[in-house]
Amino acid sequence: MGDDYPARISDLKGRRTKNLAMGGEEKIKKQHDRGKLTVRERLDLLFDKESFVELGLLAHQQPVRGGESDPDGTPADGVVTGHGLVDGRQVWVIAYDFTVMAGSMGAVGEQFKAARVRELALRYRKPIVWLLDSAGARIQEAAGSTFAGTGFLFADQVVMSGVIPQVAAMLGPCSAGTAYIPGLSDFVPMVKETSSMSLGGARLVKAATGEDVTDHDMGGSQVHCYESGVGDNEVAGDRECIETVRRFLSYLPSSNTEAAPFVESADPADRAVEGLEKIVPVSPRAAYDVRRVIKAVFDQDSWFEIKPTWAKNIVIGLARAAGHAVGVVANQPMQKGGILDSDAADKAARFIRMCDAFNVPLVYLVDVPGFLVGSQVEKEGIIRHGAKMLYATAEATVPKVTIIMRKAYGAGYYVMCGKGYEPDVLVAWPLAEISVMGPEGAVNIIFNKQIEASSDPEATRAQMIEAIRAQINPYLAAGWAMIDDVIDPAETRRVIVRGIEQASDKRIDRPWRKHGNIPV
Amino acid sequence: MSVEVKAELVGSVWKITSKPGDQVAEEDVLLILESMKMEIAVTAPRAGTVKEIRVKETDVVKEGQVLVVLE
């Protein structure tokens, strides 16, 4: 073959074809046999048709410190990077290829390819998605004191936090070098069975502590989506995982400088919400599933719950109210009576801060008996954890609408955006009870002496309880104009939509500071 | 194989709604705790027979305490 244009072009095509073939047929078959898709199949699902633009296709492993390298056996150096469109909006991606050296992070893939994506996504203020399926750092390239020159990716993630949305989709192993990627991301879906994450993989754990455990047992979705709270949503497979990523992004702006996306909705803003009286019992002691209220109030099929299987006593998620994206924070009486505890406060606080960072208005659906009290929760540091939720709600300057459905007790009322926390609209249903504590508890403290002195203590106690109960209905607060209105539950949707629209030009200026000191 | 059903949080036993020998389906209510003035249903994690109820009404229970054993 002569040295002319066609020959050079043909050579280029050959190089491209070779690297597009990933780790080869045998490795691809193994990937499929594990129930996983290949990195390029995943990208086809993530991005709108033919919108993916790849950077660094021709990259491959380089010799590090004079060591061996395998340029032919390391297409794209095990990580596919670039950008594409998700519902027509630009999104950047770093997608590990498990068929090439187990998706391990090499010097080229990390220091040049992934770093370039982080730089450009931030430069253009576009979301970044990691598709994680990686054995972690490529130890043969990372061992030695040149480790001193690494670690930029996490620092970059911190700089990007609250500027552009960051999603870590867990599609395979993710340990050591990569596990802090999900730890710093805004949304972390995990594929059941095939994905795992841990600070140290099984082999490292064995060497470090002697513990015998598998990656899955240590860090699968059954741990992180149910016990640790590091994972957000457990999903059945790669397809569902990537669909979940697309759905999540649909509620968020591309960056903190944009408004949350609005989509035309067929569900009328003024729709009366039917049937709430069949969902929420009048007895403040009785439980129900608050997700039924959420589904009835917000746009049809718009509810996207986050962390549904962890700290279930609080429900958080994204939804739409007549087309406006909103973040919903709702107490869940069906789980632990909706009582707030450390994990619930932690879960809500992080979600509230994400919504605030990305200009997503917040809707609080309040039915809270308060924070759990007692020796167990004090040992857990509930004051510190509860303070996170106080902090997050007070700090948030997005439009905030508070609906007191039933109970609003104590600090539970504060963290659910009570009067002191700058709600733009604060209303109560006629069932509402607003008080520092329930009548029974209050009577025991306030009237203890009178009850003891009474000839019929139980009758006196019951009388006092009724006297206090009469004062905790919402009309005392409405009479003082401390709440904006008492509404028919059927008006809830209209009040939320109008509240968000009322506050669309909301601007709150805080005193200058470097940053606050949130209790962590 | 038996399954221990434990208290999710501290509280008192308000009402016991099942008895040893009862056949229960998953999600059936076994007893109701009271904590922070809320009724908190304790349900069967899966179908089975109630083998043992280890608490009585008004007992104060700790988080993690075994309330009911299913078989």
Side-chain angles (χ1 to χ4, degrees), chain B residues 20-40:
Chain B
D22 282 1
Q23 297 284 327
V24 293
E26 189 178 329
E27 300 282 299
D28 276 2
V29 176
L30 302 171
L31 55 82
I32 299 169
L33 297 178
E34 182 183 283
S35 184
M36 308 276 295
K37 299 293 166 200
M38 283 300 292
E39 293 166 18
I40 297 165

Side-chain angles (χ1 to χ4, degrees), chain A residues 284-285 339 371 407 440, chain B residues 14 34 36-39 63:
Chain A
R285 292 165 52 84
I339 299 162
F371 277 93
K407 298 175 305 303
E440 294 85 354
Chain B
W14 183 60
E34 182 183 283
M36 308 276 295
K37 299 293 166 200
M38 283 300 292
E39 293 166 18
E63 180 185 329

Side-chain angles (χ1 to χ4, degrees), chain A residues 334-495:
Chain A
M334 200 178 76
Q335 299 286 342
K336 294 186 178 177
I339 299 162
L340 291 168
D341 57 10
S342 301
D343 283 348
D346 202 321
K347 170 176 166 178
R350 181 148 170 85
F351 177 71
I352 291 163
R353 299 191 93 217
M354 181 186 81
C355 291
D356 187 47
F358 294 114
N359 310 317
V360 177
L362 288 160
V363 178
Y364 292 82
L365 300 176
V366 187
D367 190 355
V368 62
F371 277 93
L372 190 57
V373 293
S375 54
Q376 174 65 35
V377 292
E378 294 306 335
K379 280 180 198 159
E380 292 168 15
I382 194 164
I383 297 174
R384 177 164 64 84
H385 295 293
K388 293 178 200 179
M389 194 173 172
L390 271 177
Y391 196 107
T393 291
E395 181 185 47
T397 56
V398 287
K400 294 188 279 198
V401 176
T402 305
I403 310 284
I404 303 173
M405 300 189 296
R406 223 172 42 164
K407 298 175 305 303
Y409 282 123
Y413 163 65
Y414 298 166
V415 297
M416 291 299 288
C417 203
K419 180 70 172 171
Y421 296 78
E422 298 172 326
D424 295 281
V425 173
L426 170 61
V427 298
W429 289 4
L431 311 183
E433 297 184 352
I434 308 165
S435 179
V436 64
M437 63 175 73
E440 294 85 354
V443 163
N444 280 351
I445 294 169
I446 308 169
F447 299 115
N448 197 28
K449 282 183 184 158
Q450 287 91 321
I451 291 169
E452 280 178 6
S454 162
S455 56
D456 186 350
E458 281 318 301
T460 308
R461 183 195 304 276
Q463 204 180 350
M464 305 261 178
I465 287 173
E466 278 320 301
I468 291 197
R469 192 177 294 285
Q471 292 179 20
I472 64 179
N473 75 49
Y475 297 104
L476 183 62
W480 276 89
M482 287 173 177
I483 60 175
D484 296 313
D485 204 359
V486 178
I487 64 165
D488 180 337
E491 297 170 314
T492 301
R493 175 179 168 85
R494 187 175 64 162
V495 167

Side-chain angles (χ1 to χ4, degrees), chain A residues 302-324:
Chain A
S302 74
W303 171 234
F304 178 73
E305 189 172 351
I306 294 175
K307 282 192 181 359
T309 51
W310 184 70
K312 293 190 279 187
N313 41 335
I314 195 144
V315 171
I316 57 167
L318 298 160
R320 293 189 183 281
H324 300 284

Side-chain angles (χ1 to χ4, degrees), chain A residues 200-271:
Chain A
R203 271 184 285 183
L204 186 141
V205 167
K206 177 70 181 161
T209 69
E211 183 188 358
D212 262 317
V213 68
T214 65
D215 283 335
H216 175 262
D217 287 351
M218 176 167 47
S221 59
Q222 83 287 356
V223 170
H224 289 307
C225 296
Y226 292 82
E227 291 187 59
S228 76
V230 179
D232 285 322
N233 293 36
E234 182 184 63
V235 290
D238 286 15
R239 279 172 196 282
E240 187 183 335
C241 186
I242 288 167
E243 193 44 51
T244 302
V245 171
R246 288 179 57 98
R247 181 114 197 258
F248 173 80
L249 290 172
S250 75
Y251 295 91
L252 294 186
S254 293
S255 77
N256 65 334
T257 57
E258 288 181 9
F262 175 84
V263 295
E264 290 297 334
S265 170
D267 201 345
D270 281 352
R271 173 171 59 83

Side-chain angles (χ1 to χ4, degrees), chain A residues 109-270:
Chain A
E110 172 47 34
Q111 289 169 31
F112 292 89
K113 296 186 64 176
R116 181 147 174 85
V117 167
R118 296 195 302 270
E119 181 188 356
L120 295 181
L122 185 61
R123 186 183 295 171
Y124 309 139
R125 300 290 195 267
K126 303 295 180 196
I128 187 164
V129 173
W130 284 265
L131 302 183
L132 289 157
D133 188 3
S134 162
R138 199 175 291 162
I139 301 301
Q140 52 271 49
E141 292 178 27
S145 69
T146 51
F147 181 69
T150 65
F152 292 85
L153 80 161
F154 304 130
D156 285 355
Q157 273 194 273
V158 174
V159 171
M160 295 188 290
S161 177
V163 179
I164 54 175
Q166 301 181 57
V167 175
M170 311 304 294
L171 297 147
C174 176
S175 60
T178 43
Y180 276 122
I181 296 174
L184 291 164
S185 291
D186 299 303
F187 182 59
V188 185
M190 284 191 86
V191 179
K192 197 175 173 170
E193 300 302 335
T194 48
S195 80
S196 63
M197 55 175 148
S198 55
L199 277 193
R203 271 184 285 183
L204 186 141
V205 167
K206 177 70 181 161
T209 69
E211 183 188 358
D212 262 317
V213 68
T214 65
D215 283 335
H216 175 262
D217 287 351
M218 176 167 47
S221 59
Q222 83 287 356
V223 170
H224 289 307
C225 296
Y226 292 82
E227 291 187 59
S228 76
V230 179
D232 285 322
N233 293 36
E234 182 184 63
V235 290
D238 286 15
R239 279 172 196 282
E240 187 183 335
C241 186
I242 288 167
E243 193 44 51
T244 302
V245 171
R246 288 179 57 98
R247 181 114 197 258
F248 173 80
L249 290 172
S250 75
Y251 295 91
L252 294 186
S254 293
S255 77
N256 65 334
T257 57
E258 288 181 9
F262 175 84
V263 295
E264 290 297 334
S265 170
D267 201 345
D270 281 352

